[in-house]
Structures are given as structure tokens and as C-alpha cells.
Amino acid sequence: MTSTTVKTLKGSVFYSVRLAPPIGFTLHASLHDVDNPNTEIASCTSSSMKFELTYDAADVVANHNYAITACIEHQGYKHYLNARPFRVDLNHIHRRPLRIMLQSQPTTAG
């Protein structure tokens, strides 16, 4: 019987524009293996600016790099997203919530 070690990355997103997010928006966040881009370790959706990505530590490959991508979507359009993936060290204990800056995007269908 194998035991699993579940870990969670907590954080929030923000953007520099002083506007409230659209009513009814959805935040999408995901944790990816940068060295194997087709590998998603965890994902979540939220109706707030906060996220929690829960993953199995057994899915983490030693010496690989990991990053979080996030976007705010509303009515099928991605309004804000991080311009480049937010790198995280999964060997480090993150005592404070992560903060990821999103940038405004031209309105495109999700």
C-alpha cells in the first residue's frame, strides 16, 4: 500500500488596474511541470481572487521546474492572465500565500 503526501499551494492573484473584476468571473489556476509542459500537477477554479492548488507530492519529479499559470475568465473571455508562468520551488515550504500578478489582455475567447 502506497501512502500519499498531499500538499497545497495557497495564493492570490492581483492586477494593477484599479477596477473590480467582472461580476461572475472565474479564476483558473494550474500547476505545471515546466520540463514536461503537457503535465498538469494540479488545477482549481475559484469565484474569488484566491486559489488553492492541492497536489500529491509523489507527482513531483526531482530536479524538474514547476510553475503556476492563472487567468480571470468571464463569459468565455480571458480578461487577465500572467504574462509568464510564476515559478515555484516545490521543495520549499511556502509559509506565506503566493501572490501572482496578472496582466490585462485583449478580449479573446477562452
Side-chain angles (χ1 to χ4, degrees):
M1 181 173 162
T2 58
S3 65
T4 60
T5 302
V6 175
K7 295 189 175 186
T8 302
L9 290 172
K10 295 180 181 182
S12 63
V13 298
F14 68 98
Y15 48 86
S16 60
V17 179
R18 293 186 178 211
L19 296 172
I23 294 172
F25 77 93
T26 302
L27 169 65
H28 298 277
S30 59
L31 174 64
H32 293 272
D33 182 338
V34 175
D35 300 313
N36 186 1
N38 295 326
T39 303
E40 182 179 86
I41 305 298
S43 67
C44 71
T45 57
S46 172
S47 59
S48 74
M49 301 291 272
K50 296 181 180 184
F51 64 86
E52 288 190 13
L53 293 165
T54 301
Y55 63 96
D56 184 344
D59 293 336
V60 176
V61 179
N63 300 319
H64 276 216
N65 297 294
Y66 294 89
I68 296 172
T69 56
C71 74
I72 291 177
E73 191 174 296
H74 182 252
Q75 296 180 343
Y77 295 97
K78 293 179 181 178
H79 292 271
Y80 300 94
L81 53 91
N82 50 329
R84 55 185 114 85
F86 183 89
R87 296 212 178 222
V88 290
D89 180 356
L90 297 182
N91 295 314
H92 175 74
I93 297 171
H94 297 276
R95 299 196 189 283
R96 294 185 193 166
L98 304 171
R99 290 192 28 92
I100 300 174
M101 182 171 183
L102 304 182
Q103 295 180 341
S104 179
Q105 296 300 305
T107 307
T108 58

